[in-house]
Amino acid sequence: MKKKMVLPILAAASLFFSPFAGHIASAESADKTLEGTNGRKIVIHKPDDISSAKINELVSRFKKGIEEDRADNQKMNLNKNVSESVYGNAIYDYTIIGEDYVYKYEEAPNQDPVLTIEKPNVSYPIERQIDAISTSDYNISDGIGGRQDIVKSGSYLSTLVRLPLESQVVKQKAAYNYSGFTSGAFEADMGLMYDSNVGPNGLEKGWKPTMIVKRGGIEKPSSLVVGYADVQGANAYLQGSNVNLYVWYNDSGKVRMKINGTATCANQACSRSNDTPLISIMETNVSLDINTVDQWKLLSTVVSTGKSGKNRATFSSIKVDGGSVPSSAFKAPLLDHASITRDGNNNVTIIADQNL
């Protein structure tokens, strides 16, 4: 039996930017000796204490995961609202969230693959708690937002997410549109966060993947990964665009997320700024052995002071294990300066606004 992690927060990371402002140890060495796909060499950025054996293990895991994802796309009944026939020309960003390190692998068209390993400094306090719910209503202790819970058994939830336009977001500290699940003491937030400094020269705005898995709350973490700031650099999903979001609570024991959509750049440095398909995968490094899900969730939130800011998202084609979710599975919405509407096709629109 695999040993379970017992930390208050089991894994948390943002693919591009962390709102926790942790300091990241810079990569101390780079290597171009490992063989990637299509005859290209893998560029490696890592701390000195990462062994060659560990590098080989990680590269094998990333390459296998990408191959399996491409194969799964052919057999799974996934959302087709965003074209998934673009895999051959897409960027693949694959992130494994460990207790002590974050491992990030990128394959981009006509470029050398890049493996980046970073160890965050975790000596700072956790500030974000966007899912605090009182007994009477939805009460976000440091912001505003709406939450739609869904009770339906299955191994994964998928949905098409319509991201807001620039005029529809005032992020204050941060803005999030995401899914996830609740399972006993486990709570997982899995989706996208808003960044106003992306693209070439940091002059654009967009949405970046983020995944947080916590157990028994977020108080007093000791040794954990809570985010990192510069693995993916300047790239982001386009505001106002559609992305496909998939969340698994137990994918071979691991919590896993996948996002498929269009990014503003063709590489992480945004030296090539043409719009490019981007597939982002995040998963926990170890099995968490979550055996069932109590409920899935859909949220749009703003982290702020004084109940200020605004955000929105529309979740459509909501499915569990590829099957449409019936109306009876949707629980009463939870609101804090927000509105939630659901149409006849069970599309859910969440608007968070300080004026509501």
Side-chain angles (χ1 to χ4, degrees), residues 211-250:
M211 187 174 89
I212 298 172
V213 183
K214 47 189 183 284
R215 182 181 184 184
I218 63 174
E219 294 81 9
K220 299 179 180 179
S222 53
S223 174
L224 67 155
V225 169
V226 288
Y228 56 101
D230 200 26
V231 172
Q232 179 56 25
N235 210 359
Y237 290 101
L238 298 174
Q239 54 187 341
S241 69
N242 290 328
V243 299
N244 280 320
L245 171 63
Y246 313 95
V247 298
W248 290 261
Y249 71 89
N250 186 329

Side-chain angles (χ1 to χ4, degrees), residues 44-63:
I44 302 170
H45 302 282
K46 67 177 185 67
D48 286 337
D49 58 348
I50 302 296
S51 68
S52 296
K54 183 64 175 179
I55 295 295
N56 289 330
E57 173 193 334
L58 287 166
V59 169
S60 177
R61 179 172 170 180
F62 282 126
K63 291 171 67 175

